[in-house]
Amino acid sequence: MKISIVYYSYSGITRKLAEDIALITDGKLIELKPEKLYSFSYNTAVKEVRKEIEKGYCPSLLEIKETFDDIDTVFIGSPNWFKTFAPPILSFLRKTDLSGKTIIPFCTHGGGGLGHMVEDFKRECSSSDVKRGIALKGNYTFDELKDYIEKNL
C-alpha cells in the first residue's frame, strides 16, 4: 500500500502529527503552503481564517510537484479551525483528483475534535472512500497514534 500524508500546519502542532503518521506508515510527507501566509498574531489569523471559511475561499498554494496516481491512501490533516479544515486543505482538495483513493482525515484541536471535517471531506471527495479520521490534542502520545493507525488502517 502506498501512502501520502498531506497537511497544513499553522503553528507546527499538526506538522508533528503528520511527521509521526509518516513514521508509523512509511508514507510520504507533503506540506501545503499558502502563497500568502496567515498573520503571526493568532488573534489576527483567527479573523482572517473565519472570513475565508465563511466565503469558501481557496487560497493559492505554492506548487506541489507530487502526483497521486500510484497512491492508495492519503492522510489529510489540518488544525481544527471553526469545526472544519483550514482553507489551504480546501484548495488542495479542489485542485487534486483523489478519485478511488482512501482518505483518512486527521486534525489537531483544543477540544473540538474533528468537528464536521469528515462530512466536509465526504462532500469534497465524493468519489473517494473517506474514513472516520483521527483527532488528537497537541499532548497526544506516539503510542496512542500508533494504536489508532494499526486498528484502522
Side-chain angles (χ1 to χ4, degrees):
M1 173 182 342
K2 290 198 171 190
I3 296 173
S4 286
I5 300 96
V6 177
Y7 71 95
Y8 169 75
S9 184
Y10 172 74
S11 66
I13 297 169
T14 305
R15 177 181 297 112
K16 180 185 179 321
L17 179 54
E19 290 169 348
D20 286 346
I21 292 170
L23 283 172
I24 294 165
T25 64
D26 197 31
K28 180 173 181 151
L29 275 173
I30 302 167
E31 182 176 11
L32 301 179
K33 295 180 182 179
E35 286 182 357
K36 180 182 176 284
L37 298 176
Y38 293 103
S39 173
F40 288 110
S41 161
Y42 180 76
N43 290 334
T44 303
V46 166
K47 290 175 188 171
E48 293 169 354
V49 169
R50 182 185 297 267
K51 286 180 188 175
E52 289 183 2
I53 290 173
E54 287 172 354
K55 294 179 180 181
Y57 177 72
C58 293
S60 296
L61 301 175
L62 297 179
E63 185 179 356
I64 300 170
K65 295 183 183 356
E66 290 80 4
T67 64
F68 294 86
D69 297 340
D70 63 340
I71 300 298
D72 305 302
T73 301
V74 185
F75 286 81
I76 305 176
S78 167
N80 175 335
W81 282 357
F82 301 101
K83 299 183 182 179
T84 193
F85 41 73
I89 298 292
L90 184 60
S91 297
F92 169 76
L93 295 176
R94 292 199 173 161
K95 291 183 182 221
T96 308
D97 181 10
L98 298 174
S99 299
K101 311 291 182 203
T102 297
I103 307 295
I104 302 175
F106 68 93
C107 79
T108 54
H109 65 93
L114 282 162
H116 49 75
M117 277 188 206
V118 174
E119 293 82 3
D120 295 343
F121 274 107
K122 286 180 179 180
R123 184 183 65 248
E124 294 297 328
C125 305
S126 59
S127 56
S128 302
D129 180 17
V130 178
K131 299 296 185 186
R132 171 172 71 128
I134 305 165
L136 296 171
K137 293 184 179 181
N139 64 349
Y140 72 91
T141 67
F142 187 83
D143 288 339
E144 175 183 13
L145 175 61
K146 187 175 180 184
D147 184 55
Y148 174 87
I149 291 173
E150 287 173 353
K151 288 180 180 174
N152 294 283
L153 191 59

